[in-house]
Amino acid sequence: DAKTTQPPSMDCAEGRAANLPCNHSTISGNEYVYWYRQIHSQGPQYIIHGLKNNETNEMASLIITEDRKSSTLILPHATLRDTAVYYCIVRVSYGGATNKLIFGTGTLLAVQP
Amino acid sequence: KAGVTQTPRYLIKTRGQQVTLSCSPISGHRSVSWYQQTPGQGLQFLFEYFSETQRNKGNFPGRFSGRQFSNSRSEMNVSTLELGDSALYLCASSLASENTEAFFGQGTRLTVV
């Protein structure tokens, strides 16, 4: 299973962009990168995912390097409510769809007022 | 549409007892996976069910089991509870496709005393 490496914590000023890095150097060609976040003791919330192209939705942008060995989640204008643990996950694939997500330790993003 | 529903939200059990947790997926989702979250081990994959069949299994003892019904609702059972089974148990549902996201419920907080 491809593993991910994230910094344990990051700070960001409210209103500024938060850039959360993730390394996934053993990712396979057909595996997607997913980002989730978890606010204390709640279920993880889906943010965004991608295969090789950059992706953007109403919550965030995902930048994946050309070699796919790393990615960056960008929250364009962080608010206090974005304080959470952010997980970068490589979704395991066994020749078809699977719902097995291997979580690492994540990055605790603290948005400061 | 309704999200993933887990019941009960909180549970207190005594060592040696057994417990059954329930998960109702989002309508139309056929894949349900279960996760255990503890402060020491983080979020760990338990197992995944698809169309009433267990498709993947994590590294947990046989005391942990699950099943899925024809309406895609899933249950997990833990027998002979130990203090270390105290955790937040999360389930996630998704469509059977690689390019889709998994949605998590709010979890069941199990405390074993």
Side-chain angles (χ1 to χ4, degrees):
Chain A
D1 297 341
K3 292 190 175 180
T4 61
T5 305
Q6 299 176 254
S9 64
M10 292 182 64
D11 288 342
C12 177
E14 190 177 19
R16 303 296 295 270
N19 296 279
L20 291 89
C22 179
N23 288 319
H24 32 77
S25 59
T26 60
I27 192 170
S28 299
N30 61 347
E31 292 180 326
Y32 286 75
V33 178
Y34 281 74
W35 283 83
Y36 282 80
R37 70 181 182 184
Q38 187 177 28
I39 297 170
H40 182 62
S41 292
Q42 296 183 17
Q45 177 189 22
Y46 166 80
I47 301 173
I48 199 167
H49 73 278
L51 183 62
K52 53 181 135 180
N53 297 321
N54 298 337
E55 302 287 346
T56 296
N57 63 20
E58 65 278 4
M59 287 183 69
S61 294
L62 174 61
I63 309 297
I64 302 175
T65 57
E66 192 168 343
D67 63 7
R68 304 213 321 125
K69 292 185 177 182
S70 65
S71 60
T72 301
L73 177 74
I74 301 172
L75 306 179
H77 305 288
T79 71
L80 297 179
R81 288 179 294 179
D82 291 323
T83 292
V85 177
Y86 287 76
Y87 295 98
C88 168
I89 299 160
V90 172
R91 189 173 185 181
V92 179
S93 176
Y94 294 105
T98 179
N99 204 8
K100 178 180 180 180
L101 301 175
I102 305 300
F103 286 83
T105 52
T107 295
L108 173 59
L109 175 68
V111 180
Q112 310 291 343
Chain B
K1 55 183 176 183
V4 179
T5 304
Q6 292 188 246
T7 56
R9 289 294 310 279
Y10 302 92
L11 205 50
I12 299 175
K13 289 287 189 178
T14 305
R15 272 184 303 174
Q17 288 186 313
Q18 73 166 14
V19 67
T20 300
L21 311 181
S22 179
C23 174
S24 293
I26 291 171
S27 178
H29 286 190
R30 295 164 63 191
S31 171
V32 174
S33 56
W34 289 88
Y35 299 81
Q36 181 197 64
Q37 186 172 29
T38 60
Q41 299 298 319
L43 267 159
Q44 293 186 287
F45 172 78
L46 278 159
F47 30 65
E48 178 193 5
Y49 286 86
F50 178 75
S51 293
E52 303 178 64
T53 301
Q54 187 180 87
R55 185 157 65 173
N56 291 302
K57 190 177 192 313
N59 188 25
F60 279 83
R63 299 185 298 106
F64 291 82
S65 63
R67 60 177 174 169
Q68 187 179 32
F69 302 95
S70 58
N71 62 358
S72 294
R73 189 178 71 86
S74 177
E75 290 181 346
M76 66 162 284
N77 183 277
V78 187
S79 62
T80 320
L81 284 165
E82 302 177 359
L83 295 179
D85 297 332
S86 295
L88 179 66
Y89 289 88
L90 294 154
C91 84
S93 77
S94 75
L95 294 168
S97 169
E98 289 181 350
N99 191 18
T100 58
E101 56 270 36
F103 295 93
F104 283 81
Q106 290 304 298
T108 294
R109 172 73 63 183
L110 172 65
T111 302
V112 182
V113 297

